[in-house]
Amino acid sequence: MADFSDDRIADCHETFAMMDTTGNDKIAMNMVGTLFRALGQNPTEAEVAKVLNNPTPEELSTKQVSFSEFLPMLAQIERQTERGSFEDFVEGLRVFDKENNGTVLGAELRHVLSTLGEKMSEEEVENLLQGQEDANGCINYEAFIKSILMG
């Protein structure tokens, strides 16, 4: 495939093979998102559904995807990884900065992360915010965004 080097294809196939529970060079359709993430991507569930042509819950649990079908999907996910800039994220969180002092309430950020958009679980939110709050329960959102973008 033109999008990937031979080494990248071999690495992808090795990871794919680990999720191939039947040994037929196929994985369950519902494992495709997990495989994307194992290969360093971070698509939303909506992006995964789109690349799979919006399968029904039954199709997700019963259909399989071969490695040759998977590679073009991975290429599509990698092409659409435009996630926004640091400034975009700061602008988004500035809305919650009621005191205009560069901080947001941790409780408010927890609520937003667990209820809006692609909802995060309570555990995911706690892992993300661990060590970010000051003594007053506030989070410096610029430092928070930098820590996330740096990995």
Side-chain angles (χ1 to χ4, degrees), residues 64-98:
Q64 293 188 318
V65 175
S66 70
F67 184 68
S68 61
E69 293 169 322
F70 172 76
L71 274 182
M73 293 177 194
L74 178 61
Q76 183 177 344
I77 290 293
E78 287 184 356
R79 280 192 302 270
Q80 64 189 33
T81 55
E82 179 59 41
R83 295 285 178 212
S85 68
F86 172 77
E87 292 78 18
D88 293 333
F89 293 116
V90 168
E91 185 73 23
L93 289 178
R94 187 173 287 133
V95 172
F96 300 101
D97 183 1
K98 292 177 179 38

Side-chain angles (χ1 to χ4, degrees), residues 113-129:
L113 293 171
S114 62
T115 59
L116 298 178
E118 189 160 329
K119 298 164 186 64
M120 297 176 72
S121 71
E122 194 174 312
E123 182 181 335
E124 290 170 324
V125 171
E126 288 308 316
N127 287 338
L128 189 64
L129 298 181

Side-chain angles (χ1 to χ4, degrees), residues 86 89-90 93 140-150:
F86 172 77
F89 293 116
V90 168
L93 289 178
N140 177 313
Y141 54 89
E142 288 192 17
F144 171 66
I145 293 167
K146 282 180 186 170
S147 72
I148 291 172
L149 292 178
M150 296 298 182

